[in-house]
Amino acid sequence: MSNIIPKPFYSDVDGETFHHCKVCGESLYNGQPYSIEKAFKRIDEHQEVTIFEIAICTPCAEKQAAKMSKHSRAYMEQVMTEKGMMEKRTALWENNWEENWNKRCLLTNNEIKLNDEYHIIGNFVNGEVILNAAPFVIGQELMEEIQENLSLETKEEMDRFGEQFLGPDPALRALLKDYQFVLV
């Protein structure tokens, strides 16, 4: 079993692994865990368009998560617990994760279909997948459910974060206006 970062988590900018936190600029190769989240839209059977990508160190992710409203944090914890996120990630790890991690939404088991938007999320340390923490997909159906249940306060904070750190090329700015990241 390999712990190498899967290619879909490489930066679209240079085709390389991410080396610095998008928020604080610190090296991601300092022994501390970090996350990469990328959002895609499937436009053809074997083609996706990247909507955004971010690599963020754990301290910055925790600071951002602390800005969520109490209601939104409780909702996210409830969803992850009820849907058995940790158990499903462990099961994925133990069952050939390299071939299966990006085929279906981890939490709903729905397949990613044509025209679906979805997120890939991975947790890494020093350029390797964290043991027993397989990368995973969150599909469009679950993303929509999450968005419907976040507080207005949290959505506004996510919009501010997105404008500051996901700074799209101008052609994507309108698309991202209604788009949220998850930072699981």
Side-chain angles (χ1 to χ4, degrees):
M1 190 175 307
S2 171
N3 286 7
I4 297 172
I5 294 178
K7 291 280 186 192
F9 286 99
Y10 285 31
S11 173
D12 286 0
V13 173
D14 60 12
E16 300 290 329
T17 58
F18 289 91
H19 293 280
H20 296 91
C21 174
K22 180 73 172 184
V23 176
C24 69
E26 290 294 319
S27 173
L28 297 174
Y29 288 80
N30 61 7
Q32 297 296 314
Y34 61 96
S35 300
I36 297 173
E37 181 172 348
K38 293 178 76 169
F40 295 95
K41 180 170 180 84
R42 180 161 287 166
I43 60 170
D44 197 352
E45 185 65 29
H46 300 288
Q47 184 180 10
E48 285 90 14
V49 173
T50 303
I51 298 170
F52 72 79
E53 60 182 16
I54 186 166
I56 186 168
C57 67
T58 298
C60 287
E62 288 172 350
K63 286 177 191 170
Q64 188 59 33
K67 294 178 183 178
M68 292 176 76
S69 71
K70 184 178 178 182
H71 163 82
S72 295
R73 278 194 311 272
Y75 172 74
M76 291 296 291
E77 288 174 17
Q78 175 189 348
V79 167
M80 301 309 161
T81 301
E82 285 179 1
K83 296 193 181 286
M85 180 181 168
M86 296 312 293
E87 296 84 0
K88 288 180 179 179
R89 283 184 84 182
T90 299
L92 182 60
W93 181 269
E94 294 169 351
N95 292 294
N96 199 15
W97 74 267
E98 292 106 327
E99 290 185 25
N100 300 312
W101 73 269
N102 60 353
K103 305 284 192 269
R104 298 178 171 276
C105 175
L106 179 72
L107 302 178
T108 66
N109 203 36
N110 292 341
E111 189 175 344
I112 306 302
K113 299 180 206 127
L114 188 62
N115 294 319
D116 277 359
E117 294 178 11
Y118 65 97
H119 291 212
I120 62 171
I121 300 165
N123 303 105
F124 310 98
V125 66
N126 290 330
E128 294 185 352
V129 177
I130 293 176
L131 186 66
N132 292 320
F136 63 97
V137 172
I138 294 182
Q140 182 169 321
E141 182 181 314
L142 184 57
M143 291 300 304
E144 289 171 355
E145 179 185 322
I146 289 170
Q147 288 306 308
E148 289 172 11
N149 288 286
L150 293 178
S151 70
L152 179 58
E153 174 189 344
T154 296
K155 289 178 183 181
E156 289 172 349
E157 179 56 39
M158 288 178 157
D159 286 345
R160 282 189 290 278
F161 181 89
E163 287 176 13
Q164 184 176 0
F165 296 109
L166 303 179
D169 92 33
L172 292 178
R173 190 170 301 279
L175 181 60
L176 285 178
K177 206 67 156 148
D178 297 325
Y179 212 83
Q180 303 295 326
F181 61 96
V182 177
L183 286 180
V184 173

